[in-house]
Amino acid sequence: MFPRCGCTAEPFLSFPPGPDRSGSGDSNLLSFSQMELSSSTQSRLHPPLLSCDHDCSLTKAKRARVESIIRGMVCTEQRHAGTPESAGESEETGQHLHLRRSFSHDCGGEEKPPLYGLSGPPGGEGARSDSRRKQGWRKLKLMSFFQSRPERLQLMADVFKSELSRAVSRSVDALFRSMPLLQEGDAAPQAEEKWSFSCCGAAEVQTEALSLVVQRPDLERSEAPSTLLCHDSSSEAEEQGSGRSSTVISLQDEEQRRDARWTSVKSKVNSRSVRSPHHQAVVEPILLESLKMESDGVVRSNLYALNEGLTANHLKKAKLMFFYTRYPSSLVLRSCFHDVQFTRCITSQLIKWFSNFREFYYIQMEKFARAALVDGRLDVRDLTVGRESELFRALNMHYNKANDFQVPDCFLVVAEVTLREFYAAISLGKDRDPSWKKAIYKVICKLDSDVPAQFRIHQSV
DNA sequence: CGTCTCCCTG
DNA sequence: CAGGGAGACG
């Protein structure tokens, strides 16, 4: 059972920590630069790289060749996708990114063992290096195939993509099978997360559960600590300086790259047209890292995954968060949704969600305030918002449709304050001023509570 | 100029 | 809920 809100004892006027929200403009969001991790933090959180496999030096040159070919191909792809007349441009680039990601893991990653590549999970150590060599040559053939027949690229991209997702789901299955404690689990958090699993399809549950389960504990505090190995001498890496290798690109760099891609599509907020329908319908976990770590003689496999897009469950969670915070800061959003890759696109979408939530909220408030005025209620003290009130039912229906969440009392208090503010303003005729609601918004934005820890909990193994 | 919010629309 | 315009802000 999800615990009740603990904020009734504490007056709702307690302001959440963070930026000053009482300013006139009320730009509640922190700039991204404020959230950058320090490089020292990053290096602390980066897991140690593995030492070379025995065949590493032998295959290194080979892999370098493969990679240069791949990069050549990717450039070719980008030129194709970049032409204005190319139909379905955004979808293509998305798939190219996918391809590039899997390739860079499979072939480009130097010391890292390959991600479960196109031919499924690896067997033993020896078998793995052997199959890796074979994969390398298979890809060489594929590359030349692409270069001779670029028109088949799309087809092959589809094939690769489906292979990749099959491999992903196989490894996820294996992960679940290999961790019996996930089923037994910790009873309390599972129950707390009940609402987040109650209304979704099996596939979604699996990927969401994965993100809840497999993230390493130290990821919790860092939010974006994973590294992608990549041959890239971009200026971004150099800018970071402070002893960072130019071949190690942090997740933030990758984030910036995607952001650049996204902004180039010229969209203020997340646009459905930017992402393919496939992206919308299916949760695509991004495999950031797959490596074997040896500790106490036990070799264990670690697999990190983040969701690339927001899901129906994220929406549901956001709605429940609205009971606590109407104006969540970017930091709060990050702390509550760190199973998703935070790009500007994602951030904008979350912000837009809360904007929509507020819109509905204020519309209801105005509606009920006017209704109360028409009813002839003259004293604001007659205006209350209880759990049985019509107003509460309307709000609850919107933000907590399944009614499986205990709405905190602090929300009732805020709702009551809002209703009275609207009532007072309207009865004083302030609504003749086109911006009369702004004063109310300013009051309400100070009534945000802290989001309970349950929303930030990130189950990990 | 980019970002954010509000507002309107579908 | 998302898209997009208008306006405010730093």
Side-chain angles (χ1 to χ4, degrees), chain A residues 42 46 223-228 244 249-258 286 288 306 340-342:
Chain A
Q42 286 185 48
H46 286 159
E223 299 173 355
S226 294
T227 57
L228 298 170
R244 234 181 82 187
I249 306 301
S250 77
L251 186 57
Q252 270 116 8
D253 295 329
E254 177 69 6
E255 188 174 306
Q256 285 169 16
R257 234 178 290 273
R258 292 135 148 283
I286 304 164
L288 293 170
L306 290 177
V340 294
Q341 262 282 66
F342 256 79

Coordinates of all heavy atoms in Angstrom, one line a residue, chain A residues 42 46 223-228 244 249-258 286 288 306 340-342:
Chain A
Q42 N 32.0 12.3 -12.1 CA 31.9 11.3 -13.1 C 32.9 10.3 -13.0 O 32.6 9.1 -13.1 CB 32.0 12.0 -14.5 CG 30.8 12.8 -14.8 CD 30.9 13.3 -16.2 OE1 31.3 12.6 -17.1 NE2 30.6 14.6 -16.4
H46 N 32.3 6.3 -12.7 CA 32.6 5.4 -13.9 C 33.1 4.1 -13.4 O 34.0 4.0 -12.6 CB 33.6 6.0 -14.8 CG 33.1 7.1 -15.6 ND1 33.9 8.1 -16.2 CD2 31.8 7.5 -15.9 CE1 33.1 9.0 -16.8 NE2 31.9 8.6 -16.6
E223 N 22.8 10.0 -11.6 CA 21.8 10.2 -12.6 C 22.3 9.9 -14.0 O 21.5 9.6 -14.9 CB 21.2 11.6 -12.6 CG 20.5 11.8 -11.3 CD 20.0 13.2 -11.2 OE1 20.4 14.0 -12.0 OE2 19.4 13.6 -10.2
A224 N 23.5 10.2 -14.3 CA 24.0 10.0 -15.7 C 25.5 9.6 -15.7 O 26.3 10.2 -16.3 CB 23.8 11.2 -16.5
P225 N 25.8 8.5 -15.1 CA 27.2 8.2 -14.9 C 27.8 7.3 -15.9 O 29.0 7.1 -15.9 CB 27.2 7.5 -13.5 CG 25.9 6.8 -13.5 CD 24.9 7.5 -14.4
S226 N 27.0 6.6 -16.7 CA 27.5 5.6 -17.5 C 28.4 6.2 -18.6 O 28.2 7.3 -19.0 CB 26.4 4.8 -18.1 OG 25.8 4.1 -17.1
T227 N 29.3 5.4 -19.1 CA 30.1 5.9 -20.2 C 29.8 5.1 -21.4 O 29.5 3.9 -21.4 CB 31.6 5.8 -19.8 OG1 31.8 4.5 -19.5 CG2 31.9 6.7 -18.6
L228 N 30.0 5.7 -22.5 CA 30.0 5.0 -23.8 C 31.4 5.1 -24.4 O 32.0 6.2 -24.4 CB 29.0 5.7 -24.7 CG 27.5 5.7 -24.2 CD1 26.7 6.6 -25.1 CD2 27.0 4.3 -24.2
R244 N 40.1 14.1 -18.7 CA 39.2 13.1 -19.3 C 39.7 12.6 -20.6 O 40.1 13.4 -21.4 CB 37.8 13.7 -19.4 CG 36.7 12.9 -18.8 CD 35.4 13.5 -19.0 NE 34.9 13.2 -20.3 CZ 33.8 13.8 -20.8 NH1 33.2 14.7 -20.1 NH2 33.4 13.4 -22.0
I249 N 33.4 9.0 -23.8 CA 32.4 10.0 -23.9 C 31.3 9.8 -22.8 O 30.8 8.7 -22.8 CB 31.7 10.0 -25.3 CG1 32.8 10.1 -26.4 CG2 30.7 11.1 -25.4 CD1 33.6 11.3 -26.3
S250 N 31.1 10.8 -22.0 CA 30.1 10.6 -21.0 C 28.7 10.6 -21.6 O 28.5 10.9 -22.7 CB 30.2 11.7 -20.0 OG 29.6 12.8 -20.5
L251 N 27.8 10.1 -20.8 CA 26.4 10.1 -21.2 C 25.9 11.5 -21.5 O 25.1 11.7 -22.4 CB 25.6 9.5 -20.1 CG 24.1 9.2 -20.4 CD1 24.0 8.3 -21.6 CD2 23.4 8.6 -19.3
Q252 N 26.4 12.5 -20.8 CA 26.0 13.8 -21.1 C 26.4 14.2 -22.5 O 25.6 14.9 -23.2 CB 26.6 14.8 -20.1 CG 25.8 15.0 -18.9 CD 26.5 14.5 -17.7 OE1 27.7 14.2 -17.8 NE2 25.9 14.5 -16.6
D253 N 27.5 13.8 -23.0 CA 27.9 14.1 -24.3 C 27.0 13.5 -25.3 O 26.5 14.1 -26.3 CB 29.4 13.6 -24.6 CG 30.4 14.4 -23.7 OD1 30.1 15.5 -23.4 OD2 31.4 13.8 -23.4
E254 N 26.7 12.2 -25.0 CA 25.7 11.6 -25.9 C 24.4 12.3 -25.8 O 23.7 12.5 -26.9 CB 25.5 10.1 -25.4 CG 24.5 9.3 -26.1 CD 25.0 9.0 -27.5 OE1 26.1 9.3 -27.9 OE2 24.1 8.4 -28.3
E255 N 24.0 12.8 -24.7 CA 22.8 13.5 -24.5 C 22.8 14.8 -25.3 O 21.9 15.1 -26.0 CB 22.6 13.9 -23.0 CG 21.3 14.5 -22.7 CD 21.2 14.6 -21.1 OE1 21.4 13.7 -20.4 OE2 21.0 15.8 -20.7
Q256 N 23.9 15.5 -25.3 CA 24.0 16.7 -26.1 C 23.9 16.4 -27.6 O 23.3 17.1 -28.3 CB 25.4 17.4 -25.9 CG 25.5 18.1 -24.5 CD 26.9 18.5 -24.2 OE1 27.7 18.5 -25.1 NE2 27.1 18.8 -22.9
R257 N 24.5 15.3 -27.9 CA 24.4 14.9 -29.3 C 23.0 14.7 -29.8 O 22.6 15.2 -30.8 CB 25.2 13.6 -29.6 CG 26.2 13.6 -30.6 CD 26.9 12.3 -30.7 NE 27.7 12.1 -29.5 CZ 29.0 12.5 -29.5 NH1 29.5 13.1 -30.5 NH2 29.7 12.3 -28.4
R258 N 22.2 14.0 -28.9 CA 20.9 13.7 -29.3 C 20.1 15.0 -29.2 O 19.2 15.3 -30.0 CB 20.2 12.8 -28.3 CG 20.7 11.4 -28.4 CD 20.9 10.9 -26.9 NE 20.7 9.5 -26.7 CZ 19.5 9.0 -26.6 NH1 18.4 9.6 -26.9 NH2 19.5 7.7 -26.3
I286 N 17.7 1.7 -23.8 CA 19.0 1.9 -24.3 C 20.0 1.1 -23.5 O 20.1 1.4 -22.3 CB 19.4 3.4 -24.2 CG1 18.3 4.2 -24.9 CG2 20.7 3.6 -24.8 CD1 18.4 5.6 -24.6
L288 N 23.3 0.8 -22.2 CA 24.4 1.7 -22.0 C 25.7 0.9 -21.8 O 26.7 1.3 -22.2 CB 24.2 2.6 -20.9 CG 23.0 3.6 -21.1 CD1 22.7 4.3 -19.9 CD2 23.4 4.5 -22.2
L306 N 18.3 2.2 -19.8 CA 17.4 3.4 -19.6 C 16.4 3.4 -20.7 O 16.6 3.0 -21.8 CB 18.3 4.7 -19.7 CG 19.2 4.9 -18.5 CD1 20.0 6.2 -18.8 CD2 18.5 5.0 -17.2
V340 N 14.7 7.1 -17.2 CA 14.7 7.6 -18.6 C 15.9 8.4 -18.9 O 16.4 9.1 -18.1 CB 13.4 8.4 -18.9 CG1 12.2 7.5 -18.8 CG2 13.3 9.6 -18.0
Q341 N 16.2 8.4 -20.2 CA 17.3 9.2 -20.7 C 16.9 10.6 -20.7 O 15.9 11.0 -21.4 CB 17.6 8.8 -22.1 CG 18.8 7.9 -22.3 CD 20.1 8.6 -22.2 OE1 20.4 9.1 -21.1 NE2 20.8 8.6 -23.2
F342 N 17.5 11.5 -19.9 CA 17.0 12.9 -19.9 C 17.7 13.7 -21.0 O 18.8 14.2 -20.9 CB 17.3 13.5 -18.5 CG 16.1 13.6 -17.7 CD1 15.6 12.5 -17.1 CD2 15.4 14.8 -17.6 CE1 14.4 12.5 -16.3 CE2 14.2 14.8 -16.9 CZ 13.7 13.7 -16.3

